[in-house]
Amino acid sequence: MLGSSDIPPLVALVFSITLKLSGALGDNVEEHLEMGKTLLAQGKLTDALSHYHAAVEGDPSNYLTYYKRATVFLALGKSRSAQPDLDRVLELKPNFNAARMQRGNVLLKQGQLDEAKDDYTTVLKFDPNHSQAQKQLDLIDPLKAEISEAKARYKSGDHQAAIDHLTKAIEVCPWSPELKEIRSECYIALGDLLKAIHDIRPTTKLRNDNTAAFLKLSLLHYQLGEADDSLSQIRECLKLDPDHKDCFQHYKKVKKLVKLINAAQEQANSQSYEECIQKANQILEMENKNQQFILKGKSFLCHCNSKAGFEKEAIKKCSEVLTIDSNNVDAYCDRAEAYIKATQYNDAVNDYQQAQNIDSESHRVQEGLEKAKKILKQSKRRDYYKILGVRRNADKRTILRAYRKLAVKWHPDKYDNEEDKKNAQQHFIDIAAAKEVLTNPEKRQKFDHGEDPLDPENQNEHGGGPFWHQGFNPFESGGGFQFKFHFN
């Protein structure tokens, strides 16, 4: 045996430092464990986890540090991170029943039934009276039968029955990606895409690098017409595998479509309606099979054609939208506005009433219906646009041009016959009134909202006006009327 005098000085120094470090590490491990315990009791799981990480690094041969860290992982819902720690615990201490029960429960929830059965059986060997282990063990064989029946039903195409069996199994095995994937396929077969998405989403975390799940999620969102969500999911696939061929192909397609939809919406919001129409047509050129995107493209065409004053095309496109979606309130309102521009006032009222039946609280519907009813009532009296033969969205220059042409045509001095002169005089009064209203922004706005500013009834309500209430007649203003044109 060597004495202290026999140990070389350098070796002695290293040995001494090692002993001191070992003691320091041991003290740090205990401190981390104690701090982790305190934080765990306070519910600060993430902070507790950081201390257990440090404890494991400080003493990788201590089974308790792994076990405590596994407990925190499970509390955080990270079963895949907890399982390696539980494996390590049982390597270091095979008869640690608490860890084996924990691992058995994790395996059971993951649907790994044979492995879970082995753990529960081993626990019972060490402790035959362990009631919880026996209870869990008794679940496994009936669960296997349930899963087997579910798979048989799925294979035979009896999707609802398969869902019923799978739902019972998933209640016990909520972390099983396989069971959720099969049930999602059953939901897809039944056309319930939202439930399919709900089942597939957790499998992105239950399987490592699950590009297939992200691709499927993206395709399902696309099928539902949810372009933004589809783009988000396909990007997750490419984060895992930038060279994934199928994900990249779909990414290019959905990215372009999202860009077109956003552009069309921006153009509609900024009232650039012709540009909106262009983008909407590009949407339909790009996607002519997916009903949801066809609906979106035609909805833009309905709205933007209506706002742009292309009433015939608007009526056509809005009608197509309503064929696809008969409860589309916006399409009814857009078509009603187009009907008003086309002087089809009864149709406009009917559309607003249909919209009101669907959404009686809509401010747009209520205002539109009131306006359409006023215009319909007004149209039975006098329509200044019809008098001048101009569209409802005609500008001032067009209105003045029409007035000038009609004034030349109907000037009474052109007629010798007394009856013809009287008829021409009435026409001239009408076109003069139309010009007065439609070239005055305030009066025109009132008229467009169903109120005739020259109607005697309205004059009594609003304090008088320049024509009808004061007996306007350009040929009875002192007998010296001379025909002139005013374009200001």
Side-chain angles (χ1 to χ4, degrees):
M1 180 177 179
L2 293 174
S4 59
S5 60
D6 300 317
I7 301 175
L10 181 58
V11 174
L13 178 61
V14 172
F15 184 65
S16 174
I17 293 172
T18 302
L19 287 174
K20 289 179 181 179
L21 285 174
S22 178
L25 287 172
D27 291 340
N28 283 337
V29 168
E30 290 302 322
E31 289 176 11
H32 284 303
L33 288 174
E34 190 60 33
M35 183 59 78
K37 180 180 178 182
T38 301
L39 292 168
L40 190 59
Q42 295 173 358
K44 299 178 180 179
L45 302 182
T46 304
D47 293 334
L49 186 61
S50 66
H51 284 282
Y52 287 131
H53 284 322
V56 168
E57 290 176 7
D59 187 2
S61 63
N62 186 337
Y63 71 94
L64 281 174
T65 60
Y66 288 103
Y67 180 68
K68 290 179 180 179
R69 187 169 71 173
T71 301
V72 179
F73 274 134
L74 290 173
L76 289 168
K78 298 180 178 181
S79 61
R80 287 197 296 143
S81 298
Q83 191 171 341
D85 276 358
L86 293 172
D87 292 341
R88 179 62 176 155
V89 171
L90 294 170
E91 287 176 14
L92 296 169
K93 193 172 179 61
N95 63 344
F96 189 8
N97 270 359
R100 196 171 292 278
M101 273 300 297
Q102 286 276 34
R103 189 175 72 174
N105 290 338
V106 169
L107 292 167
L108 179 62
K109 288 181 178 181
Q110 291 175 343
Q112 299 183 54
L113 303 186
D114 290 332
E115 294 86 346
K117 184 175 184 178
D118 290 341
D119 272 347
Y120 295 137
T121 302
T122 302
V123 169
L124 289 168
K125 285 181 181 178
F126 287 116
D127 182 3
N129 297 318
H130 200 297
S131 60
Q132 188 62 27
Q134 187 61 58
K135 180 181 178 181
Q136 297 294 81
L137 186 62
D138 291 342
L139 292 174
I140 290 179
D141 287 340
L143 194 55
K144 282 185 175 181
E146 196 80 58
I147 293 171
S148 178
E149 182 65 19
K151 290 180 178 179
R153 296 281 187 160
Y154 168 63
K155 189 175 181 180
S156 68
D158 190 352
H159 298 109
Q160 186 56 58
I163 289 171
D164 294 339
H165 288 290
L166 286 164
T167 300
K168 293 177 183 177
I170 290 171
E171 287 177 3
V172 183
C173 310
W175 300 339
S176 168
E178 181 190 16
L179 297 181
K180 287 183 179 290
E181 286 162 356
I182 297 173
R183 190 169 68 174
S184 74
E185 291 298 326
C186 293
Y187 282 132
I188 290 171
L190 294 176
D192 196 336
L193 304 189
L194 289 176
K195 286 185 178 178
I197 288 172
H198 181 75
D199 267 351
I200 295 170
R201 187 173 289 117
T203 69
T204 61
K205 295 180 179 178
L206 294 172
R207 292 193 191 279
N208 290 324
D209 299 331
N210 198 348
T211 55
F214 283 118
L215 176 58
K216 181 163 285 188
L217 283 172
S218 181
L219 292 170
L220 288 173
H221 280 299
Y222 189 90
Q223 195 171 341
L224 288 168
E226 298 168 351
D228 288 329
D229 290 327
S230 179
L231 183 59
S232 174
Q233 295 300 326
I234 208 66
R235 280 175 171 157
E236 292 299 320
C237 175
L238 292 173
K239 285 179 185 178
L240 294 174
D241 182 3
D243 297 321
H244 195 293
K245 183 179 178 181
D246 292 336
C247 287
F248 185 68
Q249 288 296 323
H250 186 61
Y251 168 74
K252 289 195 296 182
K253 178 180 180 180
V254 72
K255 181 184 178 184
K256 181 179 179 181
L257 187 60
V258 167
K259 186 176 180 180
L260 285 173
I261 292 170
N262 290 341
Q265 188 62 61
E266 288 172 8
Q267 301 293 359
N269 293 343
S270 64
Q271 300 182 10
S272 302
Y273 297 121
E274 292 192 22
E275 290 83 352
C276 167
I277 292 167
Q278 181 183 5
K279 295 299 180 185
N281 281 320
Q282 288 176 12
I283 291 171
L284 294 172
E285 287 172 9
M286 179 179 173
E287 182 52 86
N288 58 9
K289 294 180 181 178
N290 185 299
Q291 193 80 324
Q292 297 303 317
F293 292 119
I294 291 172
L295 176 61
K296 196 176 292 288
K298 289 188 174 182
S299 294
F300 280 126
L301 290 176
C302 163
H303 177 74
C304 293
N305 273 295
S306 179
K307 293 296 184 182
F310 305 140
E311 57 266 22
K312 288 184 179 179
E313 189 66 14
I315 292 167
K316 176 183 175 183
K317 294 304 177 185
C318 293
S319 298
E320 290 174 3
V321 169
L322 291 166
T323 300
I324 300 171
D325 179 9
S326 60
N327 291 319
N328 195 311
V329 171
D330 287 331
Y332 275 117
C333 291
D334 287 328
R335 189 171 71 175
E337 290 178 13
Y339 277 139
I340 288 174
K341 291 183 177 77
T343 68
Q344 296 175 236
Y345 306 127
N346 279 311
D347 291 325
V349 171
N350 289 337
D351 268 2
Y352 279 124
Q353 287 174 338
Q354 288 289 337
Q356 188 179 53
N357 292 337
I358 299 165
D359 184 0
S360 60
E361 302 298 319
S362 170
H363 186 65
R364 182 186 182 190
V365 171
Q366 291 172 357
E367 278 195 346
L369 181 57
E370 183 180 351
K371 173 184 173 181
K373 285 181 175 179
K374 282 185 178 180
I375 293 174
L376 176 60
K377 181 180 178 181
Q378 176 194 83
S379 69
K380 295 175 182 177
R381 300 175 182 174
R382 182 189 306 108
D383 187 336
Y384 296 124
Y385 291 104
K386 282 188 175 181
I387 289 171
L388 293 182
V390 297
R391 294 158 60 96
R392 293 188 74 91
N393 62 345
D395 58 19
K396 185 176 180 179
R397 183 185 296 274
T398 302
I399 290 167
L400 289 170
R401 189 183 301 119
Y403 162 69
R404 179 180 176 181
K405 180 179 179 181
L406 289 171
V408 170
K409 177 180 178 181
W410 293 108
H411 193 279
D413 290 350
K414 292 179 64 176
Y415 299 90
D416 296 326
N417 181 279
E418 193 61 34
E419 187 66 30
D420 291 340
K421 185 182 288 288
K422 185 177 180 180
N423 180 49
Q425 181 176 325
Q426 184 58 51
H427 277 295
F428 195 87
I429 291 173
D430 287 342
I431 63 175
K435 180 250 186 184
E436 169 66 18
V437 171
L438 299 184
T439 57
N440 182 303
E442 183 179 348
K443 292 176 183 177
R444 183 175 181 179
Q445 185 179 34
K446 287 182 179 180
F447 184 76
D448 286 345
H449 284 81
E451 177 184 335
D452 186 347
L454 304 184
D455 190 304
E457 292 181 9
N458 290 327
Q459 301 311 312
N460 290 333
E461 291 177 6
H462 302 296
F467 281 35
W468 308 106
H469 182 56
Q470 297 179 11
F472 168 79
N473 188 328
F475 304 101
E476 296 179 1
S477 54
F481 175 80
Q482 292 183 352
F483 177 59
K484 295 180 180 179
F485 297 108
H486 300 283
F487 293 96
N488 295 324

